[in-house]
Amino acid sequence: FISLAYDRFCKVGQLYSGYSNDVLRSPLGLEAANQLKYKRLALAQPRARDDVLIIIGPDRGKTGKVIDLEAVDDNKPRLAVVKLDTDWKRGPLGNVASMQEVKIYPYTWVAVRDTDISFGQDFLAATLAAVISCSLTLPIDNVKVRLQSGLPAFPAEGQFGELFAGLPSNLGQYCIPGGIFLAGSNLLASWAVTLPFVDGNNPDLKLFFLIPAGVLANSLTMPIRVPFEEMNKLIQTGAAQSEVEAFKKVFLERSMRETSTNIATLCIIGLTRGIPFGALQVATYEFFKEKLAV
């Protein structure tokens, strides 16, 4: 009872010196411990009902589900109550289920379990999501552009297929850039938290990683998105009747220098608006998500 009381005292007070360095590392061994897959606290903070991995302490490597979080006066979680998963290999008689355990850990000892999804799979998922959303919302976008151009909101009877005019350029504008943006920003943020001079388990650094990663990924996609956006506007306003005609107007009817200058100018204008907009959106989103979290 004295050892259990001391253990709880050290956890509540975060007095980790009560544990030896060997215990704090892992009973799994260094090689196995390095293979643990989890999201750093700077990118994802565990919440109630999240599947988590114990990353520090004598239980390192065990998995479970958060059933409660205990906070202090600043409303920041300090302790996590975790129901550990059943271990079928620890039974005294062989392949027998172990005892169901519920333990309290310091909040920084647990992390959201990560998936083994690759960059290619992440990119494919983001691109497919963009394909579906673009295809379904293109008619609404075309109606908006027609009204802005002084045209009737809907085409003449029997020509409603025109509401899907510009679909290829619309997909080029959003799908590939969207896949690169989502998958690329996740990849950059995940890489940044592993740098040796960075505390990837500091929840207060979340925006420090997410905003620069999003800005860089968005900047990389801008040269791809701008030409397709210009082609799409030509088709939506009737200045071009087909994707081929729009491609010729954007790339072939002007000199290479004029084309590159125009694309570079539009990229700079887009980034001038997009960078502060995206940073403000991410910052306010994370702020309200934290305040509204139950």
Side-chain angles (χ1 to χ4, degrees), residues 188-211:
L188 289 171
S190 299
W191 168 78
V193 297
T194 62
L195 294 174
F197 55 85
V198 171
D199 183 8
N201 287 327
N202 184 352
D204 295 329
L205 296 179
K206 186 172 186 178
L207 295 179
F208 175 79
F209 294 112
L210 291 180
I211 291 178

Side-chain angles (χ1 to χ4, degrees), residues 222-249:
M222 192 64 69
I224 303 174
R225 188 165 67 244
V226 165
F228 284 108
E229 182 178 2
E230 193 171 359
M231 289 174 56
N232 191 244
K233 295 301 180 185
L234 290 174
I235 295 174
Q236 289 177 323
T237 57
Q241 301 302 316
S242 66
E243 299 286 347
V244 175
E245 184 180 352
F247 180 84
K248 290 180 179 179
K249 286 181 177 292

Side-chain angles (χ1 to χ4, degrees), residues 2-67:
I2 294 177
S3 62
L4 290 175
Y6 179 65
D7 174 77
R8 181 173 175 81
F9 172 79
C10 288
K11 289 179 178 178
V12 172
Q14 297 193 5
L15 305 175
Y16 303 150
S17 59
Y19 298 97
S20 68
N21 290 332
D22 292 335
V23 169
L24 282 177
R25 290 194 187 101
S26 177
L28 302 174
L30 183 60
E31 182 178 354
N34 289 335
Q35 296 177 355
L36 299 179
K37 301 292 185 180
Y38 61 92
K39 295 181 180 179
R40 305 285 180 139
L41 281 172
L43 298 180
Q45 289 81 49
R47 303 291 182 185
R49 297 182 296 277
D50 280 351
D51 293 323
V52 295
L53 177 74
I54 312 303
I55 60 174
I56 299 177
D59 289 334
R60 187 179 187 187
K62 293 184 178 181
T63 58
K65 185 181 292 289
V66 176
I67 58 177

Side-chain angles (χ1 to χ4, degrees), residues 5 34 58 66 99 104 114 121 144 157 167 233 242-243 260:
N34 289 335
V66 176
M99 180 184 300
I104 298 176
D114 201 1
Q121 292 171 317
K144 181 198 71 173
E157 185 177 354
L167 180 59
K233 295 301 180 185
S242 66
E243 299 286 347
S260 58

Side-chain angles (χ1 to χ4, degrees), residues 5 42 46 51 64 111 131 133 139 141 150 153 165 171 175 190 220 255 258 275 286:
D51 293 323
V131 169
S133 59
D141 191 36
L171 294 178
C175 296
S190 299
L220 294 175
S255 65
E258 186 180 359
I275 290 176
E286 293 298 334

